[in-house]
Amino acid sequence: MITVPVPLPDRGYEVRIGRFEPAAVAATLLEAMGGSVSGVAVLVDGTVAARSPRVARLVAALGAGLPPGVPVRQYDLPGGEASKTLAEIARTTEWLAENGYDRRAAIVGVGGGAAGDHAGFAAAVYLRGVRFALCPTTLLAMVDASVGGKTAVDLPAGKNLVGAFHQPIAVVADLGFLETLPRREQVAGLAEVAKCGFIADPSLLDALETGGARALELAPEPLIAAAVRVKAEVVAGDEREAGRRAVLNFGHTVGHALEAASGYDLLHGEAVSLGMVAALSLGTSYGVTPAALRDRGRALLAGLGLPVDVERRLTTEVLGRIDVDKKRRGSSVRFVFCTAPGATRFQEIPLDELRTRLQPP
Ligand SMILES: NC(=O)c1ccc[n+]([C@@H]2O[C@H](COP(=O)([O-])OP(=O)(O)OC[C@H]3O[C@@H](n4cnc5c(N)ncnc54)[C@H](O)[C@@H]3O)[C@@H](O)[C@H]2O)c1
Ligand SMILES: [Zn+2]
């Protein structure tokens, strides 16, 4: 078991990573809630609830650990992104109200980044805010979505357009959940781990290079913990996304455009892999990313089983989508470049120039 602290002023919390018995997960969650909790609502990704026996055991263990009369109930969400709508938030919060959850209640989100975002946003708005904890069940949620306190749901107009900052009181990443996670989702999660390597921790790049497609099986705890540490450090230094936190967007400017243009056929991590390849190449064309690092990055991502063939995917439609990216400032983009393993640099690039550089005429 590895514990990574997320040192925020007033509301720091810990991320625990390991293979746990449900009773141990429950004990950690209950300790974080303290003695005053009036009820626990476990909001679970419905697919995870159906596939993983760990969910029922966790709910039972929470019940066993709570004082008599303090209820714990499970509420199944639609699987994956389908839970991230305002309609689902309305359903969940009405269910909370019908079941009498008050301000001293706590929510536990169990699932991938989608269920975590749903649970966190429901916790942020129900009764103007109740406490919540997360049990991430995808690699992406363990290394990325569960850390940082951003919560959001989607609108028809776009992803993550309605949300709030709300920090969890605890995060427990039980590696046992990864057993039922489809291989493609596991590999996609590795893209965010690689991102942490490029922007802050070169040892992660070494580990991914050595382990290749087996990197996660070989050393899941240290790998996940190192990525969580990177995100925790960046977030702790910039809780509300004023500046430094933008390094986490490495690979995301082009990645988001590819993801949206694919109609979300590409998984987020796959799109980010392609976006990182584009960012490395672009960096080389500006003379800020060494060609050797560009080539190494591409080979490393391919070795993990991630897509890297970005050039043929940079269609006019994809390039057009870059301009709807949230991080756009006027007619230019604040682009994150990797200048050496673990090191970054920001550069404002006019949109037209960015498009031309990405897809030379
Ligand atoms: N809040 C943040 O800071 C943040 C950061 C990154 C991503 N996100 C959000 O996270 C979401 C993506 O997260 P994700 O990649 O975890 O996807 P996801 O939550 O949609 O899960 C992917 C799929 O795997 C299934 N699943 C989850 N865990 C499983 C398990 N253990 N076994 C079997 N199936 C399982 C889900 O039902 C879903 O179908 C997006 O909505 C994104 O916006 C949020
Ligand atoms: Zn991402």
Side-chain angles (χ1 to χ4, degrees):
M1 200 259 289
I2 304 180
T3 301
V4 181
V6 184
L8 299 172
D10 327 324
R11 61 201 123 161
Y13 58 96
E14 289 180 339
V15 180
R16 295 212 176 166
I17 302 144
R19 185 174 293 273
F20 303 108
E21 282 303 312
V25 178
T28 300
L29 298 176
L30 293 170
E31 193 193 323
M33 289 170 200
S36 66
V37 70
S38 59
V40 177
V42 187
L43 309 183
V44 190
D45 179 296
T47 306
V48 179
R51 288 210 196 138
S52 182
R54 285 178 182 256
V55 174
R57 291 178 60 206
L58 172 61
V59 174
L62 283 167
L66 284 164
V70 179
V72 54
R73 294 183 192 85
Q74 176 179 340
Y75 180 85
D76 288 359
L77 303 167
E81 199 70 20
S83 70
K84 287 184 50 169
T85 66
L86 285 171
E88 289 300 334
I89 291 294
R91 253 192 277 276
T92 298
T93 47
E94 274 184 36
W95 176 85
L96 291 167
E98 276 162 19
N99 285 283
Y101 285 99
D102 65 19
R103 303 229 24 211
R104 291 180 300 118
I107 287 175
V108 178
V110 182
D117 270 6
H118 177 106
F121 185 64
V125 295
Y126 182 63
L127 304 179
R128 298 189 189 83
V130 297
R131 293 167 297 170
F132 82 112
L134 289 172
C135 296
T137 65
T138 66
L139 179 58
L140 182 119
M142 291 178 185
V143 299
D144 188 350
S146 297
V147 185
K150 284 211 280 179
T151 75
V153 296
D154 306 330
L155 292 180
K159 272 185 53 119
N160 296 323
L161 293 184
V162 177
F165 282 97
H166 193 46
Q167 298 290 349
I169 53 172
V171 177
V172 183
D174 177 3
L175 302 175
F177 277 112
L178 297 179
E179 283 159 16
T180 54
L181 186 68
R183 174 85 192 152
R184 187 179 167 202
E185 296 281 354
Q186 294 196 14
V187 172
L190 286 174
E192 297 284 0
V193 178
K195 180 190 79 179
C196 292
F198 287 115
I199 63 172
D201 184 353
S203 76
L204 269 175
L205 297 179
D206 298 335
L208 293 174
E209 226 158 24
T210 313
R214 296 191 55 229
L216 186 63
E217 301 155 50
L218 290 175
E221 284 184 33
L223 198 76
I224 294 169
V228 168
R229 233 171 255 128
V230 169
K231 179 138 191 207
E233 275 163 21
V234 171
V235 164
D238 183 13
E239 198 184 339
R240 294 216 161 218
E241 218 165 27
R244 159 116 181 113
R245 194 161 170 162
V247 297
L248 297 169
N249 291 330
F250 177 64
H252 282 59
T253 304
V254 174
H256 279 145
L258 286 159
E259 189 181 5
S262 78
Y264 297 92
D265 281 347
L266 277 176
L267 296 181
H268 177 72
E270 294 167 344
V272 169
S273 171
L274 294 158
M276 290 191 289
V277 173
L280 291 167
S281 298
L282 196 69
T284 304
S285 93
Y286 278 103
V288 296
T289 305
L293 177 58
R294 173 198 63 193
D295 298 345
R296 181 187 177 200
R298 191 180 184 114
L300 183 156
L301 294 166
L304 297 175
L306 285 162
V308 294
D309 55 338
V310 68
E311 296 79 7
R312 69 167 189 88
R313 298 177 190 251
L314 288 175
T315 58
T316 312
E317 198 214 331
V318 170
L319 296 173
R321 291 220 182 225
I322 290 176
D323 124 64
V324 298
D325 188 89
K326 277 187 294 204
K327 273 60 115 189
R328 182 170 64 104
R329 298 183 167 186
S331 60
S332 68
V333 177
R334 188 154 182 253
F335 207 90
V336 190
F337 288 114
C338 183
T339 54
T344 53
R345 176 163 133 188
F346 292 110
Q347 200 165 308
E348 288 285 336
I349 305 182
L351 260 173
D352 291 346
E353 183 181 320
L354 178 65
R355 295 202 180 106
T356 317
R357 288 258 186 172
L358 284 168
Q359 193 193 50

